[in-house]
Amino acid sequence: MTAIAWQRRRATASRFWADFRSHRSALVGLGILLFFGLVAVFASVLADPAGLDVTKATAPAHAAPSGDHWLGTDQNGRSVLTLLIHGTRVSLIVGLAATAIAIVIGTVIGIMAGFYGGWARSTLMGLTDWFLVIPFLPLAIVMATVLGASLLNIIIVIGVTSWPGTARLVCAQTLSVRERPYMERARALGGGDWHQMTRHILPNVMPLVLAHVVLTVSVAILSETTLSFLGLGDPTRPSWGYILDNAYGTGAMSNGEWWFVLPPGLCVVAVVLAFTLVGRALEAVLNPRLREGS
Amino acid sequence: MSLLELRDLSVTYAGDVPAVRGVSLSVAPGEVLGVAGESGCGKSTITNAVLRLLPKSATVGGSVLLDGEDVHGMSFGRLRAVRWATASIVFQGALHSLNAVRTIGRQIAEPILLHEPKTSRKAADLRVGELLEQVGLPARRARDYPHQLSGGQRQRVMIALALACRPRLVIADEPTTALDVMVQAQVLQLLSGLVKDLGLALVLISHDLSVLGTTCDRVAVMYAGKVVEEGPASVVFDDSRHPYSGALAGAFPRVGDPRFRYAPAGLAGDPPYPGDLPAGCPFHPRCPVAFDRCSEAEVELLDVGAGRRAACLRAGEAS
Amino acid sequence: MSALAARGVHVRFGAARAVDGVDLEIGSGEIVALVGESGCGKSSLARALLGLVRPVRGTVECADRPLDYRRLKEFRRHVQLVLQDPSGSLNPRHTVYEAVAEGLRIHKVPGDERELVAAALSKAGLRPPERFFLRYPHELSGGQRQRVVIAGALVLEPDVLVADEPVSSLDASVRGEILALLLRLRTELGLSLLVVTHDLGLAWNIADRVAVMYLGRIVETGDTARVLTSPRHPYTKALLSVVPEIARQDPIVLKGEAPDPSRIPAGCRFRPRCPAYAAGLPAELAERCEKETLPVLPADRGHHAACVLP
């Protein structure tokens, strides 16, 4: 039977791929993501990590692009390209890890709130709304300051501030799934709360969450850039935001050193755009309600 | 002369899905024609074909004559005049067909004002009150919103809405599905009364042959896009010549009839998908009395007695 | 012995007295039809009997023992549910196999899961079962889906099946087959069955006994043949008279719809719509209609009607 089961799964996957492929913008996004993913994975091969060490930098500071340094150098004489390549890794790690935290918190709270209803829902959704209305930046700045500047802390800060959207979405979907007759059937079969939540609600909520994940990642990357730009990032792990912060701090912007400012900025825009494109397409493919409309 | 006449009507949806395959039917004023059949048999497609409400991708063959005029040859302006004023539809699902944020009076007045723009506000309100009373609701309910009405009352409003422009033909598509037996009886009583009082021609579409048997003069039973049996309502129900109509009649048994006690009647299998019909008589895979010739060629409607026709090779045999 | 019984059951939703004192017994191997209009409380009573709703008063008994709400899971193996809309009662993301195996997994039933699932599917008339294992609900017809739901209930080997309008959303020609299946389950497995329906024809088709419910109470109960051929309560008479048929007496079409269960009239609850009362009764009888609160009908096998008329 497992053979047939796998065959079916393959068929489902290929159907999904065919649907997904019909969104041309999504393919562009996927291509961009694939490129940055490869850069992140092979960062150390593409550029020697030693180039990140300020003490080992030998090139002149603020140098324009040349044969040796394709994108010029920063205020310490490090190659901007090296920083950019290693920054890709940091930015992506922060984006994905923070999203994972946000999604777990958001899904758990959303399902609990939607499933139990009553005071559980008022409390949990109250908390969600509270997080939703607090301006993100001040909260994140305070948290980052208190926790201290490290990569892990940045991830935690972004993770615990970006779950409310997911929680609302999951709660709404849970409320609608909860009323389906198969939930009553599951109760009549003897299924407890845990069974109902994991076997019935979660699989029906997951597709929406998956599409939302991708959108959350782009927001998380943007947040990381913002925090790093404000000087709250980890100084030992350069990210795109960190490069921008340095560029701004050393007057690169006013001196017209475009090679210092433009590449990290474009990278952020490209990745955020790519994630958004893929996310929109996933939403259209996985959410049957949107599909009916098309 | 008949008010509505379908001549060899066929409708094929995109993707080569034949929903209706050559149907000829007619209704005269003061007559009630029942169309029976299950999901996918093409009965709702016929409704939409009469008022040309089909999607653009559908191909229509044959003709739909409304008062002798071919609906599918009309200009769009003429069509708009005909919709509602000559023929109107009572759709199923009264809750979803009414606008939740407008009073029912305003909704009933809308087609009146659209078709007779010179009507004064007051005259329209008067007519709305008249219509509501005609369907058994007090005129003051015109100020109510749909959610303030029960399911049966909403269905009455739908009927009033269909009558708004004094049509001569009304098509009711499953008007009593999802209603309780008692409310169903109320609605059927109302429809029969309207036919008698206003001389309407009524086409009643339902999956419940027993409902049609009590309300209609004549019944056409559809299967896989074709009429398989046609005749006076009571005889089709009581003494059906096509095994499919027999099965439909048996699905809603006569309470008190010992033949049905502990003996629910049904057919094996499911109605076929219109895009993938079996060869020969499309009913033969489910037919309890099929024999080898049934799978060879499709059977046309044969005369089987006074005003009765059936598309079955064994229709001549007494049941 | 009764397989499942309600004793003086009251169910409330806020102010609405959905079930307002009901005694009902389903004997072992018996098929009982619970008949009434929407809003009469028949579904609430069924849910109380399934332990899905807890009655505010009265008890539910399973095999003559009161239902212990702390040990519901054990009770679930005895009483199973079949819902009206088979397309809604199957999770669209579960295959047929998963849907049927769900009960086995919840109760950690020992034995070969695959074999048990296959056996349940064949009992429900899906043969060969292996062909259906990996199908998704949307790939099945309405009748097949309802068979999957029935198989999912049968796999736990229950004694009682509660079916809420089991065929009302199916195609007419498919209904008979599902009803025949329910009858066969009774003869082959000795299953007891409570069928909740608004369709008297269905009751005539398969039920041994009928209970007619109106506004939270059972107003007439008894052997199906007796109740449906010589009804005693005016409500049953009216219901029967509107079943569409060809040759029949004039229909008694009641005015209005089933009233609000949060405002049950005093005296006989059917009086405001009762054609017999409206036609005029002797003063002394009419007074009893207006004032007298009728007792809850007993749950025995006799023919009873909650009406002051003889």
Side-chain angles (χ1 to χ4, degrees):
Chain A
M1 187 179 101
T2 43
I4 316 173
W6 275 109
Q7 203 178 336
R8 282 215 63 130
R9 260 171 230 164
R10 254 202 308 278
T12 315
S14 70
R15 204 164 47 230
F16 170 81
W17 175 239
D19 270 0
F20 185 81
R21 220 173 38 184
S22 66
H23 298 257
R24 184 165 297 179
S25 56
L27 288 184
V28 174
L30 199 63
I32 297 174
L33 290 185
L34 219 60
F35 169 74
F36 279 102
L38 288 174
V39 168
V41 170
F42 297 109
S44 302
V45 181
L46 291 170
D48 186 0
L52 297 174
D53 196 334
V54 184
T55 56
K56 288 179 190 154
T58 51
H62 296 287
S66 64
D68 284 341
H69 305 288
W70 292 357
L71 289 176
T73 60
D74 73 347
Q75 77 280 13
N76 295 320
R78 293 180 293 182
S79 163
V80 174
L81 186 62
T82 305
L83 289 172
L84 203 60
I85 288 171
H86 287 271
T88 306
R89 183 186 261 177
V90 175
S91 289
L92 284 184
I93 287 178
V94 172
L96 293 172
T99 302
I101 294 176
I103 290 300
V104 170
I105 299 177
T107 307
V108 169
I109 289 191
I111 288 187
M112 302 270 271
F115 185 77
Y116 288 109
W119 67 265
R121 181 154 114 239
S122 346
T123 314
L124 289 172
M125 281 297 110
L127 186 74
T128 308
D129 288 343
W130 193 73
F131 266 94
L132 212 54
V133 294
I134 289 185
F136 161 74
L137 216 46
L139 178 68
I141 290 171
V142 170
M143 283 180 74
T145 317
V146 173
L147 291 172
S150 80
L151 196 62
L152 184 66
N153 287 346
I154 287 284
I155 291 172
I156 293 174
V157 167
I158 298 174
V160 299
T161 48
S162 40
W163 58 267
T166 313
R168 297 226 118 222
L169 184 80
V170 169
C171 177
Q173 180 71 4
T174 304
L175 281 175
S176 109
V177 173
R178 196 176 66 151
E179 298 306 317
R180 309 275 160 84
Y182 56 77
M183 295 298 292
E184 185 167 42
R185 177 173 168 265
R187 271 197 298 283
L189 279 170
D193 294 352
W194 178 250
H195 173 88
Q196 290 173 52
M197 284 193 264
T198 53
R199 296 288 299 147
H200 290 284
I201 293 183
L202 199 59
N204 281 290
V205 166
M206 261 351 258
L208 271 182
V209 171
L210 193 64
H212 194 68
V213 163
V214 182
L215 298 175
T216 313
V217 174
S218 65
V219 176
I221 289 178
L222 217 48
S223 308
E224 191 277 334
T225 311
T226 313
L227 290 177
S228 295
F229 178 71
L230 294 174
L232 296 163
D234 187 341
T236 63
R237 313 286 300 267
S239 70
W240 293 337
Y242 169 88
I243 305 174
L244 284 170
D245 180 31
N246 281 343
Y248 183 75
T250 58
M253 297 209 186
S254 43
N255 293 338
E257 293 167 19
W258 58 266
W259 61 86
F260 202 169
V261 182
L262 226 44
L266 287 178
C267 285
V268 172
V269 171
V271 168
V272 168
L273 185 72
F275 270 114
T276 312
L277 291 177
V278 172
R280 290 269 168 251
L282 274 181
E283 215 165 36
V285 172
L286 294 173
N287 186 345
R289 248 176 307 166
L290 281 177
R291 188 191 281 181
E292 269 164 35
S294 65
Chain B
M1 188 190 133
S2 53
L3 184 58
L4 170 70
E5 192 176 345
L6 307 182
R7 278 194 198 151
D8 199 29
L9 176 73
S10 63
V11 179
T12 307
Y13 287 121
D16 205 20
V17 179
V20 175
R21 305 180 301 133
V23 167
S24 300
L25 291 170
S26 67
V27 210
E31 189 186 28
V32 186
L33 171 73
V35 178
E38 302 176 279
S39 55
C41 76
K43 57 191 198 300
S44 295
T45 302
I46 288 186
T47 318
N48 294 331
V50 169
L51 286 186
R52 232 166 89 184
L53 296 169
L54 293 166
K56 276 211 181 74
S57 56
T59 335
V60 182
S63 51
V64 178
L65 302 179
L66 202 57
D67 232 358
E69 195 180 351
D70 191 347
V71 174
H72 289 265
M74 284 176 186
S75 70
F76 204 70
R78 174 82 188 117
L79 182 69
R80 276 193 16 191
V82 164
R83 283 183 187 163
W84 235 314
T86 310
S88 65
I89 302 182
V90 180
F91 287 103
Q92 57 178 332
L95 180 56
H96 304 296
S97 309
L98 288 170
N99 186 339
V101 295
R102 300 184 67 193
T103 63
I104 57 167
R106 293 279 297 282
Q107 295 187 54
I108 299 173
E110 193 181 348
I112 302 175
L113 294 169
L114 268 176
H115 279 268
E116 296 151 48
K118 288 193 199 95
T119 322
S120 70
R121 201 59 218 231
K122 210 167 159 208
D125 283 346
L126 223 68
R127 173 90 181 117
V128 168
E130 217 173 274
L131 282 164
L132 283 176
E133 271 165 15
Q134 214 162 36
V135 297
L137 289 172
R140 63 184 153 78
R141 299 304 293 260
R143 286 192 297 272
D144 285 358
Y145 288 89
H147 70 91
Q148 291 169 294
L149 305 175
S150 68
Q153 289 169 330
R154 270 186 229 130
Q155 196 58 45
R156 285 171 192 270
V157 170
M158 291 302 291
I159 295 171
L161 201 54
L163 295 175
C165 296
R166 300 189 174 84
R168 286 178 296 141
L169 170 73
V170 172
I171 303 176
D173 190 353
E174 301 275 6
T176 61
T177 308
L179 295 181
D180 269 317
V181 267
M182 197 55 76
V183 183
Q184 166 176 301
Q186 293 167 352
V187 170
L188 291 177
Q189 210 175 33
L190 168 68
L191 284 173
S192 308
L194 289 171
V195 169
K196 223 172 278 160
D197 298 344
L198 307 176
L200 288 177
L202 176 66
V203 178
L204 200 58
I205 297 178
S206 176
H207 68 286
D208 187 338
L209 193 54
S210 63
V211 164
L212 300 180
T214 45
T215 326
C216 301
D217 303 307
R218 288 182 330 109
V219 167
V221 180
M222 286 189 67
Y223 191 79
K226 280 203 160 187
V227 173
V228 295
E229 179 160 5
E230 194 196 343
S234 55
V235 288
V236 171
F237 186 63
D238 270 348
D239 169 35
S240 43
R241 291 303 168 82
H242 195 285
Y244 178 66
S245 359
L248 270 193
F252 298 91
R254 203 85 48 85
V255 173
D257 187 335
R259 279 184 302 155
F260 293 109
R261 191 82 178 113
Y262 293 124
L267 292 169
D270 294 285
Y273 173 67
D276 182 24
L277 296 176
C281 167
F283 183 60
H284 85 266
R286 301 177 73 194
C287 183
V289 295
F291 59 110
D292 40 343
R293 264 175 59 210
C294 293
S295 56
E296 282 162 16
E298 199 151 1
V299 190
E300 295 306 314
L301 280 170
L302 312 164
D303 279 322
V304 287
R308 303 191 58 183
R309 297 190 300 164
C312 180
L313 293 173
R314 314 188 80 140
E317 302 167 15
S319 53
Chain C
M1 194 187 94
S2 71
L4 189 64
R7 309 257 180 239
V9 165
H10 291 250
V11 176
R12 283 204 192 149
F13 298 106
R17 285 140 72 185
V19 179
D20 196 35
V22 164
D23 280 358
L24 183 68
E25 250 179 40
I26 299 118
S28 191
E30 191 180 32
I31 302 182
V32 177
L34 185 59
V35 180
E37 291 173 274
S38 55
C40 74
K42 56 187 197 295
S43 291
S44 306
L45 176 59
R47 273 156 190 73
L49 284 167
L50 280 159
L52 291 172
V53 178
R54 206 167 168 167
V56 290
R57 225 159 75 214
T59 52
V60 171
E61 283 177 12
C62 175
D64 292 330
R65 278 208 310 274
L67 170 56
D68 182 349
Y69 286 89
R70 286 162 306 175
R71 303 175 71 180
L72 268 178
K73 201 166 166 182
E74 197 185 305
F75 167 75
R76 302 261 183 253
R77 292 198 62 173
H78 295 285
V79 184
Q80 269 302 311
L81 169 70
V82 174
L83 282 167
Q84 166 180 10
D85 177 15
S87 34
S89 46
L90 291 172
N91 188 333
R93 298 188 181 275
H94 288 184
T95 58
V96 166
Y97 184 91
E98 288 170 305
V100 177
E102 190 174 355
L104 295 175
R105 291 176 186 165
I106 289 171
H107 292 276
K108 302 190 175 69
V109 176
D112 182 11
E113 185 181 270
R114 207 182 129 89
E115 252 167 48
L116 291 170
V117 169
L121 283 171
S122 340
K123 272 188 227 162
L126 291 172
R127 292 189 203 95
E130 287 78 10
R131 241 187 52 208
F132 293 91
F133 276 1
L134 296 168
R135 302 262 198 106
Y136 281 93
H138 68 88
E139 300 167 321
L140 304 175
S141 70
Q144 288 172 333
R145 277 182 220 148
Q146 194 62 300
R147 286 174 193 272
V148 173
V149 174
I150 292 172
L154 289 180
V155 81
L156 289 175
E157 302 184 330
D159 312 313
V160 187
L161 223 51
V162 175
D164 191 350
E165 301 278 13
V167 297
S168 66
S169 62
L170 299 181
D171 267 323
S173 68
V174 181
R175 298 164 57 109
E177 288 282 298
I178 297 291
L179 294 179
L181 168 66
L182 294 176
L183 270 178
R184 205 163 57 239
L185 293 177
R186 185 256 289 270
T187 41
E188 283 171 13
L189 309 173
L191 222 59
S192 315
L193 198 61
L194 176 72
V195 190
V196 178
T197 180
H198 68 277
D199 182 354
L200 290 170
L202 189 159
W204 180 260
N205 262 161
I206 66 169
D208 303 317
R209 275 197 307 134
V210 175
V212 181
M213 215 167 157
Y214 185 79
L215 210 50
R217 282 267 176 106
I218 288 175
V219 294
E220 181 158 3
T221 168
D223 182 74
T224 302
R226 289 272 300 282
V227 173
L228 297 189
T229 52
S230 46
R232 277 167 41 195
H233 197 282
Y235 181 62
T236 318
K237 285 180 192 164
L239 270 188
L240 267 168
S241 77
V242 295
V243 174
E245 279 169 32
I246 305 305
R248 59 161 184 203
Q249 75 272 41
D250 282 339
I252 312 166
V253 180
L254 300 177
K255 294 264 184 306
E257 287 167 46
D260 185 355
S262 57
R263 274 172 304 187
I264 294 178
C268 169
R269 56 193 65 211
F270 183 56
R271 179 176 44 85
R273 294 175 79 198
C274 182
Y277 177 83
L281 289 173
E284 147 210 7
L285 270 178
E287 202 190 318
R288 285 182 66 198
C289 287
E290 284 152 24
K291 302 231 171 84
E292 198 171 313
T293 309
L294 294 161
V296 172
L297 294 181
D300 61 24
R301 305 284 122 92
H303 184 182
H304 306 281
C307 183
V308 299
L309 297 175

